[in-house]
Amino acid sequence: MDTVWPTQPLDAARLGRPSRRGATAALEAHIAVLRGEPLKAALANALRDADGLGGQERRFAALVVRELSRHQRLLDLAAKLLGHPPGKLVLTEDQALVRYALWRRIFCGEGWTRIGPEVRLPGPVRPRTLKDEVLQKVVESPLPEAPLPDTHAERLAVRYSFPNWLVQKLAQAYPESVLEGLLSSLDEEPGLHFRVRPPGTRDAVLAALQEEGVAAEAVLAAPDAVRVVDASHRIFETRVMKTGRLQVQDVGSQLISEVCRPVGGSLQGLTVADVCAGAGGKTLALADFVGPTGKVLAGDRSRRRLAEARERVRHFSLRQVAFPHPLPLSEADVLLIDAPCSGTGSLAREPDQKWKLNAAEIAKYQTTQSELLDEVSRQAKHGALVVYATCSVLPDEDEAVVEGFLAKHPEFTLEPVADVLGAERAALAAQGPYLKALPPRVPGGGFFAARLRRTGQG
């Protein structure tokens, strides 16, 4: 690694339409993030309050908000080298303006001719102490080469804008070749992936999309996964989408549902308990797998998220899904625990989270995960399959939780996920007995799962 600065500008097709109004919405949202608001909520509020934004401008604003958090460390390093470190900037608005100008310069390859109209006074945010001449100098002054840190892990942390402590943790778990690919993938705007419905109809759906002029392709890692090749988002207007043949779902998330299948069989007619159903993404997939003769029992501690799951189930008219409280776990053939976690595998979608996490938070998650696995497993009937899953790439929340559980529960046996995935997909997405869906080998976010079979009495 000779430089920490990106060598290629972002693909212009993914930008949407840059504009002063779009920049204003993006900056308002980023300022809210800097003041502690979750990125998704800050963006939703900014777009709601923005007047007259077109679809491509909204797309630009949404990308910018994620990018400013995603590359925060690198942008602040550039500001420091140019004489404007964040600590010297008086207002949060000033920090946001400098980051925006540097992002447009470094990651989009733009000069002051394009950037100036987007940030000049008056606006796009007030109050501010920075004059237009200062921002112009930030854009036009030669960018010094950043001094490279001594250790490889810290160089990667700077280049891909991650906290040192997190990269050091990951460096203990993954070889250098895997680590850089993982960090690079989590530092990029994620692609758009879908699950085909019903299962096993991917070729027909791809053909139908082609007829409607949407470029998409199969993803080898999961049997029903497709990726949209173009960046137009026209897929949401297609007949295929409107008739319920596609569900937005990350590839690794689809693989977790696959791991719930019996070896050499299907879930048709079985009962599955989705213990942490959240907004219902895996609930929908499991409902398709069990079919009209099976049952999916969905629950979650968050009423708000479960309400979203109910709405999605109604939208797809899935009568085999129920939301009993409490969940009758002893009736289930399969119990999926998609446990609360740090979300380190989803940082490409929620980049603000990497600046909010710390080692103490990871330890708290591990305690919660272990307690939840203990609690659910006690209610599993003999022969039931418990699938423990996270969207974390940290072994503390993954293998360590499973190994700690097995040490206390000899009545459970660990089953290799390769027995379900098959050799070809296991080569991409398995590590030992576990599902380890890591980008870029598996596109999208990072996911983990383990199959725990109750074979004895506890």
Side-chain angles (χ1 to χ4, degrees), residues 345-413:
S346 301
L347 292 177
R349 296 194 185 281
E350 299 184 73
D352 57 317
Q353 292 303 308
K354 61 184 169 183
W355 309 115
K356 298 176 181 179
L357 287 172
N358 55 52
E361 287 292 312
I362 302 301
K364 289 180 183 177
Y365 277 119
Q366 188 184 54
T367 299
T368 300
Q369 291 152 357
S370 297
E371 291 174 350
L372 181 60
L373 183 52
D374 280 340
E375 177 188 338
V376 172
S377 67
R378 281 197 297 269
Q379 301 176 66
K381 67 183 180 182
H382 181 78
L385 175 68
V386 176
V387 175
Y388 171 78
T390 73
C391 57
S392 173
V393 293
L394 291 171
D396 309 56
E397 303 178 84
D398 297 340
E399 295 95 326
V401 172
V402 173
E403 290 162 9
F405 171 80
L406 289 171
K408 296 186 296 181
H409 295 275
E411 70 274 20
F412 280 85
T413 303

Side-chain angles (χ1 to χ4, degrees), residues 129-177:
T129 66
L130 295 178
K131 297 180 179 179
D132 291 343
E133 304 86 73
V134 174
L135 287 177
Q136 183 174 358
K137 191 174 180 181
V138 164
V139 172
E140 294 183 340
S141 297
L143 182 62
E145 192 53 64
L148 294 176
D150 293 334
T151 68
H152 182 67
E154 191 174 352
R155 288 196 291 273
L156 292 177
V158 173
R159 170 63 186 87
Y160 298 112
S161 279
F162 279 81
N164 285 348
W165 73 268
L166 181 54
V167 175
Q168 287 164 1
K169 258 188 174 299
L170 292 170
Q172 294 168 6
Y174 302 107
E176 286 186 2
S177 57

Side-chain angles (χ1 to χ4, degrees), residues 78-197:
K80 179 181 178 182
L81 293 173
L82 291 168
H84 300 283
K88 283 191 175 181
L89 296 171
V90 177
L91 300 173
T92 304
E93 287 82 356
D94 295 339
Q95 290 184 31
L97 281 164
V98 169
R99 283 180 185 161
Y100 178 85
L102 285 170
W103 176 77
R104 290 287 279 142
R105 172 188 179 173
I106 296 170
F107 286 88
C108 302
E110 298 292 358
W112 184 248
T113 302
R114 292 293 301 272
I115 301 170
E118 297 166 11
V119 298
R120 282 194 190 108
L121 288 166
V125 292
R126 303 293 293 272
R128 61 188 270 190
T129 66
L130 295 178
K131 297 180 179 179
D132 291 343
E133 304 86 73
V134 174
L135 287 177
Q136 183 174 358
K137 191 174 180 181
V138 164
V139 172
E140 294 183 340
S141 297
L143 182 62
E145 192 53 64
L148 294 176
D150 293 334
T151 68
H152 182 67
E154 191 174 352
R155 288 196 291 273
L156 292 177
V158 173
R159 170 63 186 87
Y160 298 112
S161 279
F162 279 81
N164 285 348
W165 73 268
L166 181 54
V167 175
Q168 287 164 1
K169 258 188 174 299
L170 292 170
Q172 294 168 6
Y174 302 107
E176 286 186 2
S177 57
V178 174
L179 178 63
E180 181 157 12
L182 176 61
L183 293 175
S184 175
S185 297
L186 295 177
D187 191 47
E188 297 173 354
E189 185 72 3
L192 197 54
H193 297 94
F194 296 84
R195 181 181 65 85
V196 169
R197 310 179 60 247

Side-chain angles (χ1 to χ4, degrees), residues 202 217-226 251 255 424-425 428 441 443:
R202 180 163 64 182
E217 63 186 14
V219 178
L220 296 180
D224 298 312
V226 299
V251 179
L255 286 170
E424 185 177 7
R425 291 192 178 94
L428 292 172
R441 287 173 65 85

Side-chain angles (χ1 to χ4, degrees), residues 285-301:
L286 293 168
D288 285 341
F289 290 162
V290 302
T293 61
K295 287 192 296 185
V296 176
L297 309 172
D300 196 274
R301 291 176 180 175

